[in-house]
Amino acid sequence: MAARVLQQCVRSFARPSLRLCSGNLAVRAAAAPTAALHRPLSFAADSRRTRWLGQSRTPSVGVLCRQYGDLPPLTLETIKDRVLYVLKLYDKINPEKLQTTSHFMKDLGLDSLDQVEIIMAMEDEFGFEIPDAEAEKLMTPEEIVQYIADKKDVYE
Amino acid sequence: CYLILSFPARRNLFFLQRQKVLGIYRNMLKTIRQVPDEADRKYLRDWARGEFKRNKNATEQDAIRMMITQANNHLEELQKSLALARS
């Protein structure tokens, strides 16, 4: 149902722009929706523009259709899920043994090179740089979650 | 690579070197990230990982220093090729 509403919005926004840029009689006739209003076809530029502004039918959901290209907000829960997801994808980690408190070197048997790779994967996932000095201290998933929450100002 | 050395000064040096090596590994991976082709990226990542892991247990100072120099040379080469490819 939401998809249908969005489709309607896109179509209604697309229609006026078609009308504005086309000067051709045939194109304008094609652009006018079959079941909707029929406008008298005149080629005066000003009248065309004012007619569009005056007569365009605002869709019922109108302004509410705006979409922003931003990511969902971060919470401690989502950070933890994403961190664990990335770790499960890492081939050297056994997913069954993975807990938020498992230490990379002591519990999971990884070495410092693997830890570097893990931190870099986290950088890719969350989209920001983690400096070397702080990266080398992150030894459990819990610490990574805490660090990211600090850096991204996530409180709960 | 956790050796027990008698002099604390030498041990500090040892860990400093370890940090240096890890730093080089990080820079290598960061540079490899910029390679445009996914297959090339995978190949280079596996190559770098193999090289570093293979020499993980080296203990002689000279050998380690030589490997660090080699790694830096590889890194520089890769960065130069990327700069050329971009221009």
Side-chain angles (χ1 to χ4, degrees):
Chain A
M1 207 229 52
R4 220 170 343 113
V5 160
L6 284 172
Q7 259 186 328
Q8 190 183 30
C9 290
V10 169
R11 254 186 256 129
S12 61
F13 279 119
R15 261 184 264 128
S17 60
L18 257 179
R19 220 167 286 125
L20 260 182
C21 51
S22 70
N24 192 343
L25 185 75
V27 178
R28 291 185 77 208
T34 48
L37 332 161
H38 288 289
R39 293 176 186 23
L41 301 168
S42 134
F43 289 88
D46 295 331
S47 60
R48 194 194 306 160
R49 200 171 337 125
T50 51
R51 210 183 310 123
W52 169 61
L53 284 174
Q55 290 179 3
S56 74
R57 185 180 45 167
T58 53
S60 49
V61 242
V63 192
L64 301 172
C65 283
R66 208 163 296 166
Q67 283 177 303
Y68 296 102
D70 199 5
L71 300 163
L74 287 178
T75 63
L76 279 181
E77 198 54 42
T78 58
I79 297 178
K80 186 169 74 96
D81 288 338
R82 284 164 77 180
V83 167
L84 289 178
Y85 181 67
V86 170
L87 288 174
K88 286 188 182 141
L89 290 177
Y90 191 58
D91 55 357
K92 295 216 179 143
I93 292 186
N94 186 356
E96 281 102 56
K97 279 210 217 159
L98 183 64
Q99 310 262 320
T100 47
T101 50
S102 25
H103 194 273
F104 293 138
M105 301 199 188
K106 293 186 214 153
D107 298 331
L108 299 171
L110 304 172
D111 64 10
S112 47
L113 292 171
D114 298 323
Q115 196 259 356
V116 169
E117 284 175 33
I118 288 173
I119 299 299
M120 298 214 56
M122 294 298 157
E123 282 182 356
D124 285 337
E125 169 69 24
F126 291 96
F128 71 99
E129 286 267 322
I130 302 178
D132 286 10
E134 301 174 13
E136 69 196 22
K137 298 190 202 127
L138 302 172
M139 285 294 166
T140 71
E142 183 58 42
E143 284 176 15
I144 297 179
V145 171
Q146 280 305 314
Y147 179 81
I148 295 176
D150 282 340
K151 285 292 166 180
K152 290 280 178 177
D153 293 327
V154 177
Y155 304 109
E156 260 178 33
Chain B
C1 38
Y2 288 99
L3 293 181
I4 301 172
L5 301 166
S6 47
F7 298 95
R10 278 182 74 194
R11 194 176 343 177
N12 286 341
L13 212 83
F14 182 76
F15 282 119
L16 274 175
Q17 206 170 47
R18 182 170 171 275
Q19 293 312 108
K20 191 192 255 187
V21 170
L22 290 175
I24 296 175
Y25 188 54
R26 231 165 177 260
N27 289 337
M28 186 76 76
L29 289 181
K30 282 196 182 149
T31 309
I32 291 176
R33 246 190 215 157
Q34 298 167 33
V35 172
D37 180 46
E38 177 58 40
D40 287 344
R41 269 204 298 268
K42 184 161 187 346
Y43 177 77
L44 285 168
R45 269 201 303 258
D46 292 341
W47 162 78
R49 197 198 258 199
E51 287 291 310
F52 275 82
K53 294 255 178 187
R54 194 156 44 89
N55 299 309
K56 188 163 82 150
N57 297 312
T59 49
E60 303 95 48
Q61 279 298 308
D62 290 336
I64 296 178
R65 255 183 257 135
M66 190 182 73
M67 285 187 263
I68 289 179
T69 311
Q70 269 180 348
N72 276 324
N73 289 342
H74 282 302
L75 185 57
E76 221 175 301
E77 255 182 64
L78 191 58
Q79 283 167 338
K80 283 197 189 129
S81 322
L82 281 172
L84 267 176
R86 252 179 261 141
S87 61

